[in-house]
Amino acid sequence: MEKFEIEDFEWEMVGGGHWEMDDDKKILILSGASYVYGRFAPSRLHEKIRTVDH
């Protein structure tokens, strides 16, 4: 997938950068930075993921 768009207003952008998914290993790799959203913030991601029900 080249592009991922979210059209749900309940999402919050907590940093920018690059992502890569390995479906076989069930791994999501997040890295880098964005001029608009700033650096990828792994600590905030962990905090946000813990609030998701599924």
Side-chain angles (χ1 to χ4, degrees):
M1 181 185 305
E2 297 279 328
K3 186 176 181 181
F4 184 73
E5 292 184 23
I6 300 170
E7 296 183 11
D8 184 340
F9 294 107
E10 292 185 18
W11 281 63
E12 175 188 356
M13 188 63 64
V14 295
H18 308 279
W19 64 279
E20 180 181 340
M21 236 161 81
D22 185 326
D23 289 328
D24 295 331
K25 294 181 181 179
K26 305 292 186 213
I27 295 173
L28 174 64
I29 301 167
L30 303 166
S31 62
S34 163
Y35 291 113
V36 176
Y37 297 109
R39 289 203 55 74
F40 164 63
S43 62
R44 293 197 60 207
L45 178 65
H46 177 67
E47 169 189 320
K48 294 293 183 185
I49 287 176
R50 292 176 47 154
T51 66
V52 176
D53 291 334
H54 50 280

